[in-house]
Amino acid sequence: MRIASQANHLAPISGILAGDNVQNTPSASAERSLRTFSAKEHVFFEGDDRDSIYEVVDGVVCVYKVTSDGRRQVISFCYPGSLLGFGHADRYLYSAEVLSPATLRPYSAGALEKIVAERPDLAHSLMSFVMAELAAARDQLLTLGRKSASEKIASFLLELSRQNEEMSKDPETLQLPMTRSDIADYLGLTIETVSRNFTKLKTSGIIDLHQNTTVVICDMDRLEETASCDEERF
Amino acid sequence: MRIASQANHLAPISGILAGDNVQNTPSASAERSLRTFSAKEHVFFEGDDRDSIYEVVDGVVCVYKVTSDGRRQVISFCYPGSLLGFGHADRYLYSAEVLSPATLRPYSAGALEKIVAERPDLAHSLMSFVMAELAAARDQLLTLGRKSASEKIASFLLELSRQNEEMSKDPETLQLPMTRSDIADYLGLTIETVSRNFTKLKTSGIIDLHQNTTVVICDMDRLEETASCDEERF
DNA sequence: CGGCCAGTTGAGTGTGGTCAATCGTTGTGG
DNA sequence: CCACAACGATTGACCACACTCAACTGGCCG
């Protein structure tokens, strides 16, 4: 539901930002303002001047923080419809790296503030979006703080499955655009532990793996058991 | 800075909510609408109908989630000025328990939406507040996912210290209204590990402990070294 | 005084990390 | 076309950090 619930609110937001009132270059068409990125390219780095907000149009973006000694924590994976780089600080608080060739639509850094100030009818959608991001981050706190490695992996796969559901894609066939290292840094594990737990799920017949980038969920019930924590939504 | 940065934006919000336009009972004075809670009392539980939003006037509130098998993750500790229970869902996503006798000011669940819709001039402060909460949650992701037990404890103490600074209190004398169990559940540890690391910090002369509820930071530099992760803000 | 609860401390264990070797795929150049 | 390098992923052996279980301490209140 986490990322899924974001998707619920993203469609209207894209529309909001595309409105000429808040467009970065009012005279230019939305088509013209698209920016393309190649795999592993960074959109921005933590600490850079926050001059733009981005909407993910195509591809997947990995948002993360790093410590001074190089440890990395992935904050979220952003799929088409997501917003990137918003905040109330004048610097980016995170780094953003595209995982596969991606297309983003940049807006001025103040576009969201403008909406809030000038379009109260649309500000509500924006607030819902930010609150959904907050709820997702807080769900992830529970996963990082209190789940075992196998529970983390299962929860991650279920998250992707629900996201597929929201996008009307097959919830049992998951594409993994991110590496084992990205998954490890998202779940607070090492790549070895991620790999071992994928293997465990595979040998127990719960999932099937194809060329490391495709996961097929064979037994959804047992996957949910493995994730353990009831993620029932109210 | 996390919680501290929230405080930056909270003062105006209290004012916003206190405005008669959004007051729960427009004819009643703000004084009359205060609710008092005794220690360990719950303000609401995860899953309850989200009928009210609360502003913390006095005391400290612990916000947390639990798994079906009883594991608990503390999301945040809310000090005076914080808002509790906002969100876009119709149920509370977390439980809220007061740690010591507290005074809260309830508002209608729709008060924030009303502000966003009717008071665009004030909606900006509200947005900044929610974004600060989001930034705090994401900072905590790094702590939970990538820090060792001793780093977590040191980071936690520094967080309290910076919060004191923001409230013009002594940044080297910390009151701990929460139990070891609350701290453990906030940092993804056990009470034993929390206790051991407090002892370690004490015996190495970095902090001093008085009756388990007061921490005096004796060597701020070494405490920051122990926290390791540069938490420099931009 | 005695019970209760939070906190501390100790001993032993286990989950997940570290280090290292190997596999498989992809892409490049001879 | 094959050889080789480069990279991501897997697997194994070992280890350590934090958890578990348990005993004990200290403060508070009846």
Side-chain angles (χ1 to χ4, degrees):
Chain A
M1 171 95 171
R2 324 175 167 172
I3 290 181
S5 68
Q6 294 166 25
N8 279 338
H9 302 284
L10 281 172
I13 287 180
S14 305
I16 294 165
L17 285 167
D20 48 5
N21 265 350
V22 293
Q23 188 69 305
N24 203 0
T25 50
S27 55
S29 76
E31 293 280 331
R32 284 186 180 260
S33 70
L34 291 180
R35 276 186 61 187
T36 59
F37 293 83
S38 46
K40 298 184 184 181
E41 196 176 347
H42 273 80
V43 184
F44 52 77
F45 286 92
E46 181 180 353
D48 286 353
D49 281 328
R50 201 172 68 78
D51 42 26
S52 296
I53 292 170
Y54 297 89
E55 178 197 342
V56 180
V57 175
D58 193 51
V60 185
V61 181
C62 174
V63 177
Y64 66 91
K65 293 172 79 83
V66 285
T67 66
S68 49
D69 58 355
R71 284 174 286 179
R72 187 174 77 134
Q73 178 65 46
V74 171
I75 304 298
S76 71
F77 299 109
C78 293
Y79 285 81
S82 273
L83 289 179
L84 222 58
F86 62 88
H88 69 299
D90 60 346
R91 308 274 190 134
Y92 292 113
L93 297 177
Y94 328 98
S95 301
E97 176 191 17
V98 307
L99 297 180
S100 50
T103 308
L104 306 189
R105 182 175 291 128
Y107 300 97
S108 72
L112 267 58
E113 283 76 7
K114 242 181 167 175
I115 289 177
V116 171
E118 301 174 4
R119 305 288 299 271
D121 55 323
L122 301 174
H124 178 255
S125 303
L126 199 51
M127 184 63 89
S128 285
F129 169 77
V130 178
M131 282 177 173
E133 291 272 300
L134 180 59
R138 288 175 164 180
D139 280 351
Q140 188 67 358
L141 288 180
L142 180 64
T143 299
L144 288 177
R146 287 292 176 225
K147 291 192 194 176
S148 69
S150 54
E151 290 170 341
K152 285 176 178 179
I153 296 290
S155 299
F156 173 68
L157 293 178
L158 285 176
E159 188 180 319
L160 291 182
S161 173
R162 289 176 189 142
Q163 189 180 340
N164 266 11
E165 234 171 23
E166 291 287 329
M167 297 164 73
S168 303
K169 293 166 63 182
D170 181 3
E172 296 186 346
T173 306
L174 314 176
Q175 295 301 323
L176 304 182
M178 66 291 286
T179 65
R180 297 290 185 269
S181 177
D182 293 328
I183 299 172
D185 288 342
Y186 180 59
L187 298 174
L189 301 170
T190 59
I191 52 172
E192 293 93 334
T193 300
V194 171
S195 184
R196 274 186 255 271
N197 280 281
F198 269 122
T199 304
K200 210 192 295 176
L201 286 174
K202 182 176 183 179
T203 54
S204 63
I206 297 177
I207 65 167
D208 206 0
L209 273 168
H210 301 307
Q211 61 182 128
N212 299 335
T213 59
T214 305
V215 172
V216 178
I217 301 175
C218 306
D219 192 335
M220 185 65 81
D221 290 343
R222 279 207 293 158
L223 187 62
E224 281 168 349
E225 275 171 35
T226 309
S228 110
C229 304
D230 296 344
E231 304 215 354
E232 22 172 336
R233 293 278 138 252
F234 298 99
Chain B
M1 172 91 173
R2 323 175 168 174
I3 291 182
S5 67
Q6 295 167 22
N8 280 338
H9 300 285
L10 281 172
I13 287 179
S14 305
I16 295 165
L17 285 168
D20 48 5
N21 267 352
V22 293
Q23 188 68 305
N24 202 0
T25 50
S27 55
S29 74
E31 293 278 332
R32 281 185 183 263
S33 70
L34 291 179
R35 275 186 61 188
T36 57
F37 293 83
S38 47
K40 298 186 182 177
E41 195 176 348
H42 274 78
V43 184
F44 51 77
F45 287 91
E46 180 179 355
D48 285 354
D49 281 328
R50 202 173 66 79
D51 43 26
S52 296
I53 293 170
Y54 297 88
E55 177 198 341
V56 181
V57 176
D58 192 52
V60 184
V61 180
C62 175
V63 178
Y64 66 90
K65 291 171 81 80
V66 286
T67 66
S68 50
D69 59 354
R71 284 174 286 179
R72 188 175 76 135
Q73 178 64 44
V74 170
I75 304 299
S76 70
F77 298 109
C78 293
Y79 285 81
S82 273
L83 288 180
L84 223 56
F86 61 89
H88 69 300
D90 61 345
R91 307 273 190 136
Y92 292 112
L93 298 176
Y94 327 99
S95 302
E97 176 190 18
V98 307
L99 298 180
S100 49
T103 308
L104 306 188
R105 181 175 290 128
Y107 300 97
S108 73
L112 266 59
E113 284 74 7
K114 241 179 166 177
I115 289 177
V116 170
E118 301 174 4
R119 304 289 298 273
D121 55 322
L122 302 174
H124 178 258
S125 303
L126 200 49
M127 185 63 89
S128 286
F129 169 77
V130 178
M131 283 177 172
E133 291 272 299
L134 180 59
R138 288 175 164 180
D139 280 351
Q140 188 67 359
L141 288 179
L142 180 64
T143 299
L144 287 177
R146 287 295 176 220
K147 291 192 194 178
S148 67
S150 54
E151 289 170 340
K152 285 175 177 178
I153 296 290
S155 298
F156 172 67
L157 293 178
L158 285 175
E159 188 180 319
L160 290 183
S161 173
R162 288 174 191 144
Q163 190 181 338
N164 266 10
E165 233 169 23
E166 291 287 330
M167 298 165 74
S168 303
K169 292 166 64 181
D170 181 4
E172 297 184 345
T173 306
L174 314 175
Q175 294 301 320
L176 304 182
M178 68 289 287
T179 66
R180 297 289 186 270
S181 176
D182 293 327
I183 298 172
D185 288 343
Y186 180 60
L187 298 174
L189 301 171
T190 59
I191 52 172
E192 294 94 332
T193 300
V194 171
S195 184
R196 274 185 253 272
N197 279 279
F198 269 122
T199 305
K200 210 192 293 177
L201 285 174
K202 183 177 182 178
T203 54
S204 61
I206 296 177
I207 64 167
D208 207 357
L209 274 169
H210 301 309
Q211 60 183 131
N212 298 335
T213 59
T214 305
V215 171
V216 178
I217 301 175
C218 305
D219 192 334
M220 187 65 81
D221 291 343
R222 279 207 293 158
L223 187 62
E224 281 168 350
E225 276 172 35
T226 308
S228 110
C229 303
D230 296 344
E231 303 213 356
E232 22 173 336
R233 293 279 139 251
F234 297 101

